[in-house]
Amino acid sequence: MTADQTPHTFQVDLRGLVDLLSHHLYSSPKVYLRELLQNGVDAITARRAEQPGAPARVELFADGERLRVEDTGIGLTEADVHNLLATIGRSSKRDGLESARAEFLGQFGIGLLACFVVADRIRVVSRSARVPDAPPVEWTAREDGSYTVRTLPDEARPEPGTTVHLTARPGSGEWLTEERVTALAKDFGSLLPYDVRVGGTPVTERPPVWERPHPGPAARRVALARYCHERFGFSPLDVIDLDIPLAGVRGVGYVLPAAVSPAQRAGHRVHLKGMLLTERADDLLPDWAFFVRCVVDTDSLRPTASRESLYADETLAAVREALGERVRAWLTGLAAGEPERLAQFLSVHHLGVKSLARHDTDMLRTMLPWLPFETTDGQLSLEEFARRHPVVHFTRTVEEFRQVAPIAAAQGIGVVNGGYTYDADLVELLPEVRPGTPVAELDADTVTAHLDAVDPAEELALSGFLAAARARLDALGCDVSLRAFHPVTVPALHLDDRSARHERARAEEEEQAGELWAGILGALRGGAPRARLVLNHLNPLVRRISGFGDAELAGTAAEALYGQALLMAQRPLRPADSALLNRAFLGLLQWAARTGDDPGFHPKPHAVDGEQEDGR
């Protein structure tokens, strides 16, 4: 058997390729204009590499049906047209101009194909600057994949360069109006190094605003803020210079004036050698720097094939690290010499700085006197709080802090609310930057140990009430104890640390699990830590309730105190907790609605110091 060894050439369906470009590679038809500008700029760059004094100009003329783009670039011969324009995937930047390739924008050879997204016919008239005697050449292509090439008389294109003519496809005329073309040209090409005009109106703004001379720092800041408002739509809190020659990056970072979620992806504007590459780059800065929006021009980063995002490689990682160091240096500079501006920044973006400090000990040491934390002494820095208290206690949840904050403050216990993002991690790192500082997580036993015990005789006299309360709350996994503490306005304190919650969750799962899983959960049972309801013996209401002789009423009152303590702690209520609150409320209403003829016991309130035993 013989095999056919004759080489064959791939057949490309141009219509299918255009559909691929418009629906999958490019995010919007607007990129057609970027490709046209890119081709013109690269052609001028190529010509100037051989003729440094050559004119450098790109002009666009649009009327809604047709677009004409003229450049003074290197131009093409008839052979160039066949080799470059009619061969998909070949780029002139790969052929014969390697020495100047670093200055080119395009690399992938897709080129004019992008224009078929908005046009059904492309006509190119070009004259080569390399071969002065070569006549002008015309290349005309249609969306069906056919093209024609012919030479023209000298007067058709007297000077070297290229003119591209587009004819709009049906329904795409809006992309070729002068207004739309001007807006796109300004967006894509405002930082290009050559003169670009639409209908005679300049669109380039060189040098960039961050490189222009200004009368003074204040004037420069105003100009940069105006540029930020035009590009991003906000007035920045501050501006960070990002001129890093070694990384091939020039630009500025704008500090957002309002807090944003760390999970929100940033949208940075990245220009590649002056051409806008993307305005949605989300991996240019480290994740912790989510409070900064950048606009940069780079000649070191690689674009993807669509030239709408950055290629994730080692170069991008190095640039990201360098830009992160610049933001870090800006923060350190504020801490060292501009405390008022730093305080203004932290009032908005303390979360971002905490995120950085969590992974950077030097930054934590620098920012320690400035970062705000919620504590039992109010909003303080950890540095100030550690000076006030011999032990820095902290809670891991906001609910735990709310439970104990009023009581801990009255007992002189210093507590930091570690329930907010990064706060608990930073408190635990405190000994690393402040050696000798004791840090301990606050638990129920620590709080209870700081509360005053009740005289044993008085507690014994109330044993009936305490027994009824314990019996009623036992099903909820909650113990009851009696202490004396301030403030006296707090009738009861619900203490429920993490170990108690974990044990309760395990027990609930065990009840609902199958036999095998229940056995596994049962084997995990620990020392059965439980939540605790601490009744305040100094509170007049508690002392009245503790005098109830009716066990049923005492149990209902205990449930009401338990529910009130949960609400004061602002804890999420379980279904059992909600049912208890409802039951206690209705029970107390029923008791209060009894008349003198109703059977049942009407308790006489226990006398409290300073009160008459008259039932009031």
Side-chain angles (χ1 to χ4, degrees):
M1 181 177 67
T2 60
D4 184 3
Q5 299 295 324
T6 304
H8 298 278
T9 302
F10 283 105
Q11 301 299 312
V12 178
D13 182 348
L14 188 57
R15 290 180 179 176
L17 186 58
V18 170
D19 179 74
L20 177 66
L21 292 176
S22 59
H23 292 98
H24 300 283
L25 184 62
Y26 295 131
S27 62
S28 167
K30 69 181 182 181
V31 297
Y32 88 91
L33 192 70
R34 184 194 62 200
E35 297 293 339
L36 289 172
L37 289 177
Q38 178 177 289
N39 286 343
V41 169
D42 284 346
I44 293 172
T45 300
R47 184 177 181 185
R48 284 203 155 188
E50 300 179 4
Q51 304 173 14
R57 185 177 64 257
V58 179
E59 295 185 276
L60 299 91
F61 305 89
D63 61 10
E65 292 295 329
R66 295 175 178 80
L67 173 66
R68 184 172 86 254
V69 182
E70 299 180 355
D71 69 65
T72 58
I74 193 70
L76 301 170
T77 64
E78 182 175 358
D80 293 334
V81 167
H82 285 288
N83 289 333
L84 300 177
L85 297 187
T87 305
I88 297 170
R90 178 175 294 175
S91 170
S92 62
K93 275 69 76 177
R94 296 182 184 143
D95 299 289
L97 291 173
E98 287 80 3
S99 62
R101 187 182 173 200
E103 302 301 323
F104 292 122
L105 300 173
Q107 301 176 30
F108 298 98
I110 297 174
L112 289 174
L113 280 182
C115 296
F116 279 118
V117 175
V118 298
D120 58 10
R121 190 168 76 102
I122 303 173
R123 176 170 168 259
V124 177
V125 176
S126 186
R127 182 162 195 161
S128 176
R130 287 184 184 146
V131 187
D133 296 337
V137 60
E138 177 192 71
W139 176 81
T140 303
R142 293 172 178 79
E143 64 174 345
D144 62 4
S146 64
Y147 72 92
T148 59
V149 178
R150 62 174 180 148
T151 58
L152 301 176
D154 288 346
E155 57 268 20
R157 178 83 199 192
E159 300 295 329
T162 301
T163 301
V164 178
H165 303 263
L166 299 186
T167 302
R169 66 170 54 249
S172 297
E174 61 174 310
W175 292 102
L176 272 62
T177 63
E178 183 173 0
E179 182 181 7
R180 177 64 67 90
V181 169
T182 300
L184 293 177
K186 287 183 176 180
D187 197 34
F188 284 120
S190 63
L191 301 186
L192 288 173
Y194 307 129
D195 182 21
V196 179
R197 297 172 179 264
V198 179
T201 303
V203 299
T204 48
E205 301 174 3
R206 298 289 299 184
V209 63
W210 53 85
E211 295 180 4
R212 296 174 196 166
H214 298 278
R220 183 175 187 271
R221 183 169 297 182
V222 169
L224 289 172
R226 184 184 305 113
Y227 186 86
C228 176
H229 195 273
E230 293 171 355
R231 292 297 184 269
F232 293 110
F234 66 84
S235 298
L237 193 65
D238 208 346
V239 178
I240 307 171
D241 280 305
L242 300 177
D243 186 8
I244 311 176
L246 291 178
V249 173
R250 302 158 300 279
V252 289
Y254 293 108
V255 181
L256 293 169
V260 294
S261 168
Q264 180 176 332
R265 304 301 291 174
H268 306 295
R269 288 179 63 92
V270 178
H271 295 257
L272 180 62
K273 304 179 182 72
M275 180 73 75
L276 178 66
L277 181 69
T278 179
E279 53 189 354
R280 297 188 301 274
D282 57 8
D283 50 2
L284 186 66
L285 288 182
D287 290 341
W288 57 261
F290 56 84
F291 50 85
V292 177
R293 295 291 181 271
C294 295
V295 53
V296 299
D297 188 18
T298 176
D299 53 20
S300 62
L301 299 178
R302 292 174 56 197
T304 59
S306 67
R307 290 188 288 279
E308 293 186 283
S309 59
L310 297 172
Y311 189 80
D313 56 9
E314 294 180 357
T315 303
L316 177 59
V319 168
R320 185 187 304 116
E321 183 177 353
L323 293 176
E325 287 296 330
R326 185 56 57 89
V327 177
R328 183 184 286 106
W330 169 78
L331 282 171
T332 304
L334 289 187
E338 301 184 75
E340 292 184 0
R341 287 177 63 197
L342 177 63
Q344 182 185 15
F345 166 75
L346 288 178
S347 67
V348 179
H349 294 299
H350 58 274
L351 191 61
V353 180
K354 287 180 177 180
S355 171
L356 171 59
R358 186 174 56 135
H359 301 289
D360 189 325
T361 304
D362 290 337
M363 180 57 64
L364 177 59
R365 185 177 291 107
T366 300
M367 304 305 296
L368 195 61
W370 308 101
L371 288 174
F373 289 80
E374 183 180 1
T375 76
T376 48
D377 294 351
Q379 287 284 334
L380 290 177
S381 69
L382 286 183
E383 178 74 24
E384 175 64 23
F385 188 80
R387 285 198 295 264
R388 295 186 182 189
H389 297 278
V391 179
V392 177
H393 290 97
F394 71 98
T395 63
R396 291 194 179 274
T397 67
V398 175
E399 290 78 13
E400 289 176 4
F401 180 80
R402 288 170 178 166
Q403 289 176 45
V404 302
I407 312 303
Q411 310 307 313
I413 307 174
V415 184
V416 178
N417 185 354
Y420 296 112
T421 306
Y422 310 128
D423 283 11
D425 295 337
L426 293 178
V427 175
E428 290 183 301
L429 290 172
L430 186 57
E432 295 186 18
V433 296
R434 200 175 189 274
T437 302
V439 173
E441 183 176 353
L442 190 68
D443 55 24
D445 291 336
T446 302
V447 177
T448 306
H450 282 78
L451 306 180
D452 295 333
V454 177
D455 183 85
E458 293 190 44
E459 187 168 0
L460 182 61
L462 302 177
S463 59
F465 167 73
L466 293 175
R470 287 166 180 152
R472 188 64 66 90
L473 298 181
D474 181 69
L476 296 171
C478 182
D479 292 331
V480 179
S481 60
L482 187 66
R483 293 289 188 274
F485 55 86
H486 292 276
V488 297
T489 53
V490 177
L493 174 65
H494 183 267
L495 299 177
D496 186 17
D497 55 24
R498 285 190 303 158
S499 58
R501 289 196 296 274
H502 290 168
E503 174 59 24
R504 187 166 58 247
R506 186 207 59 77
E508 291 174 353
E509 288 292 334
E510 183 179 358
E511 290 178 0
Q512 300 175 10
E515 181 177 350
L516 175 61
W517 186 237
I520 296 174
L521 290 173
L524 297 176
R525 184 184 299 113
R530 290 161 64 89
R532 189 175 308 167
L533 182 68
V534 183
L535 302 176
N536 187 1
H537 190 55
L538 299 181
N539 180 267
L541 177 62
V542 172
R543 298 186 68 176
R544 284 176 177 271
I545 292 173
S546 62
F548 290 169
D550 187 315
E552 183 67 25
L553 180 58
T556 300
E559 289 181 334
L561 288 173
Y562 173 85
Q564 189 266 350
L566 289 181
L567 294 176
M568 290 298 294
Q570 302 183 37
R571 271 192 52 210
L573 298 181
R574 299 172 297 162
D577 297 331
S578 299
L580 175 142
L581 280 171
N582 185 58
R583 183 173 64 249
F585 176 72
L586 293 177
L588 292 177
L589 281 180
Q590 289 174 355
W591 179 83
R594 291 178 180 176
T595 66
D597 297 332
D598 289 334
F601 177 74
H602 294 269
K604 181 179 181 181
H606 179 73
V608 180
D609 293 342
E611 296 186 68
Q612 298 289 330
E613 285 192 46
D614 57 2
R616 287 180 298 173

